[in-house]
Amino acid sequence: MNKSKRPGKTAQLKDETSQSKNTLILLCALTALILLPFINKPFHLDDTLFVRLAEHIIEDPFAPYQFEYNWFLTPMPFWKVTQNPPLNSYILAIPGSLFGVTEIVCHFIGILFAVGCCYLMYKIASRYTKHPEIPTFLTIVSPGFLVSSTNVMADVPLLFFWLLSVELTMSATKENQTGKLWFAGLSIAAASMTKYFGLALLPLLIVYWMVKTGKITIHLLAFFIPVLVIFLWGLYSEAFGGIFHPYGAAQYSVKGKSFTDLVTYTSQTISFLGGSLLWPIFFIPILLRFSPKIIAFSLIAGVLSFFLGKEFWNWNNNTGAHFGIMVFIGLVSLLPGIKFIYHHRNADNLLLLLWFAGTIVFSILLNWTINARILLIALFPLGLFFIQFVESRTKLERNKLFYSITIVTLFISMFIAWG
């Protein structure tokens, strides 16, 4: 009798796998379609740093920073202008050497990275929820991700290599898969040579590996690859630029902060989280049923933030109200996840917690400023926590509510991106 059930179960499994692949393909296609209108978006802000570097790499690929650039109102050695390593510009230079470093070429590369992020988010989310398409696509349409994907800076490429490193390490915890740690090590090295913050993957994934498996294996030597790569790059920069560039970038970012600064940075970080993710606010009717205290606390904090902005930063009513609303949304996004993680403690959730918390600590304590680009890394784990919380309280499906939330968030994000 057991044998007779197996064909049915096998067919069901194949059907679910096929459905999952179709969903993933659809999500990736939609990501590309959403970003396609921005393929000719003019370069702006820090885009020009990466574009100019890509142009120079085409001219002299073995001396990437050996030129001067006028960024601070006077020409300076590029070693002192940028605080980022060069991998993103090397990637832009590959098609740029064939077709020119134009808006279309660079944004096309950006779309590929965004689609890659979508694919990896789905793969990671499938380990946590029955509906990985929900946290994946809600993250894709969030203002933080969508706006970042319309520029050619290093933030989305960093996110791609970050997600790839996490996915490879999670896969390596399975039996006979430990060899994938070497690919994870290479991916961490790529993340670190995209932005130095990629080095934060080392303690994150080592802790996860030890908690998840408790095993010491020769393959853990793979985690020395990014350390070696950054060290060699530092020696190169010292020889040709006169500074150990990774250390110089760290000095630029790390500044002493007073208690008032910490309060300011913390409240602004929560505000940026709310504005960057946005979509959790549309789940308030569900949260009111299961966690009304979270909504009440978030609302009080948002109102206090309004008066805080007026009192300490002399903001007008409009700016203060905007700040208070974003703090409210940030806490609505954050507190359910904290509640969920407290009641569901395991290695996989610890990974998400350290992933998110590490980004927040870096943003508040170590980075020179608060912005949505540095918090981009934190959006997916925060969204995944939130969706798991909702899923643990009620049946979550791709229904009218999900489609409505997605469309409204996408519309707002597109409006911001066009702005």
Side-chain angles (χ1 to χ4, degrees):
M1 188 167 181
N2 288 339
K3 290 182 179 180
S4 64
K5 289 183 179 180
R6 286 178 184 172
K9 289 182 178 180
T10 302
Q12 183 181 3
L13 184 61
K14 286 182 178 179
D15 184 58
E16 290 176 356
T17 302
S18 176
Q19 186 177 4
S20 177
K21 287 182 179 179
N22 292 337
T23 301
L24 180 53
I25 292 171
L26 177 62
L27 289 179
C28 290
L30 286 173
T31 301
L33 187 63
I34 289 168
L35 292 173
L36 201 58
F38 301 96
I39 198 162
N40 201 28
K41 179 181 177 181
F43 296 133
H44 71 305
L45 301 176
D46 290 5
D47 283 349
T48 54
L49 284 172
F50 296 96
V51 170
R52 179 65 190 96
L53 178 56
E55 291 172 340
H56 179 77
I57 286 171
I58 294 172
E59 298 169 5
D60 193 350
F62 298 105
Y65 290 179
Q66 295 300 103
F67 68 102
E68 290 193 339
Y69 191 67
N70 188 350
W71 184 254
F72 297 107
L73 302 181
T74 182
M76 294 174 60
F78 200 75
W79 290 106
K80 296 181 180 180
V81 171
T82 185
Q83 308 304 320
N84 291 309
L87 183 58
N88 184 49
S89 291
Y90 271 101
I91 294 171
L92 295 177
I94 295 172
S97 64
L98 300 174
F99 307 106
V101 187
T102 65
E103 281 88 349
I104 291 177
V105 169
C106 292
H107 286 306
F108 179 76
I109 297 299
I111 291 174
L112 293 181
F113 272 118
V115 170
C117 288
C118 176
Y119 174 84
L120 291 166
M121 286 179 195
Y122 185 91
K123 298 291 285 185
I124 294 171
S126 63
R127 304 174 188 273
Y128 291 91
T129 172
K130 294 179 180 178
H131 298 284
E133 68 278 4
I134 294 179
T136 297
F137 202 57
L138 286 174
T139 302
I140 294 297
V141 300
S142 66
F145 182 88
L146 187 60
V147 174
S148 295
S149 296
T150 65
N151 64 52
V152 299
M153 301 175 214
D155 307 289
V156 174
L158 169 64
L159 178 61
F160 170 79
F161 289 121
W162 187 290
L163 292 166
L164 181 60
S165 303
V166 170
E167 169 60 22
L168 287 168
T169 304
M170 296 186 85
S171 298
T173 60
K174 297 179 181 178
E175 271 192 62
N176 302 319
Q177 297 288 319
T178 51
K180 287 186 177 181
L181 287 177
W182 293 99
F183 294 102
L186 291 171
S187 181
I188 296 171
S192 304
M193 286 299 291
T194 303
K195 294 188 78 170
Y196 292 124
F197 182 59
L199 282 171
L201 282 162
L202 282 174
L204 171 68
L205 296 179
I206 290 172
V207 169
Y208 168 70
W209 174 269
M210 295 309 299
V211 173
K212 181 74 172 181
T213 68
K215 296 177 181 178
I216 302 293
T217 169
I218 189 69
H219 297 295
L220 287 174
L221 290 174
F223 290 128
F224 281 100
I225 295 175
V227 177
L228 178 61
V229 169
I230 290 296
F231 180 70
L232 292 175
W233 165 246
L235 292 180
Y236 172 88
S237 65
E238 193 166 35
F240 291 91
I243 57 171
F244 195 85
H245 198 260
Y247 179 71
Q251 279 189 315
Y252 180 84
S253 295
V254 178
K255 299 182 184 298
K257 294 182 175 69
S258 65
F259 177 76
T260 303
D261 290 333
L262 292 177
V263 172
T264 301
Y265 272 52
T266 300
S267 60
Q268 289 178 354
T269 296
I270 294 172
S271 173
F272 269 107
L273 284 173
S276 297
L277 208 57
L278 189 63
W279 54 263
I281 194 175
F282 300 116
F283 283 88
I284 284 180
I286 294 176
L287 294 178
L288 280 172
R289 278 191 289 158
F290 300 105
S291 298
K293 291 181 181 178
I294 288 178
I295 302 300
F297 178 83
S298 302
L299 186 59
I300 292 171
V303 173
L304 290 176
S305 298
F306 167 74
F307 290 106
L308 181 71
K310 291 188 65 177
E311 180 69 24
F312 290 98
W313 302 311
N314 297 317
W315 287 345
N316 59 37
N317 287 338
N318 289 337
T319 304
H322 180 265
F323 179 67
I325 291 170
M326 292 302 107
V327 168
F328 169 66
I329 300 174
L331 289 173
V332 167
S333 308
L334 179 60
L335 296 179
I338 293 175
K339 187 173 183 179
F340 177 84
I341 203 68
Y342 178 78
H343 294 288
H344 300 83
R345 285 168 280 187
N346 55 52
D348 291 334
N349 282 333
L350 176 64
L351 170 65
L352 292 182
L353 177 63
L354 295 178
W355 174 349
F356 173 78
T359 307
I360 299 305
V361 169
F362 176 82
S363 176
I364 295 173
L365 296 181
L366 301 178
N367 203 38
W368 69 280
T369 188
I370 306 292
N371 56 49
R373 291 191 287 126
I374 189 60
L375 293 174
L376 176 64
I377 295 291
L379 298 186
F380 177 62
L382 178 58
L384 199 47
F385 274 145
F386 186 91
I387 290 300
Q388 286 187 93
F389 173 83
V390 174
E391 204 170 39
S392 69
R393 295 297 193 277
T394 186
K395 189 176 182 182
L396 190 63
E397 294 182 352
R398 285 183 295 169
N399 51 24
K400 290 182 180 179
L401 176 64
F402 167 69
Y403 292 121
S404 299
I405 291 173
T406 303
I407 291 170
V408 173
T409 305
L410 175 61
F411 176 81
I412 296 172
S413 297
M414 294 285 281
F415 180 78
I416 296 171
W418 277 114

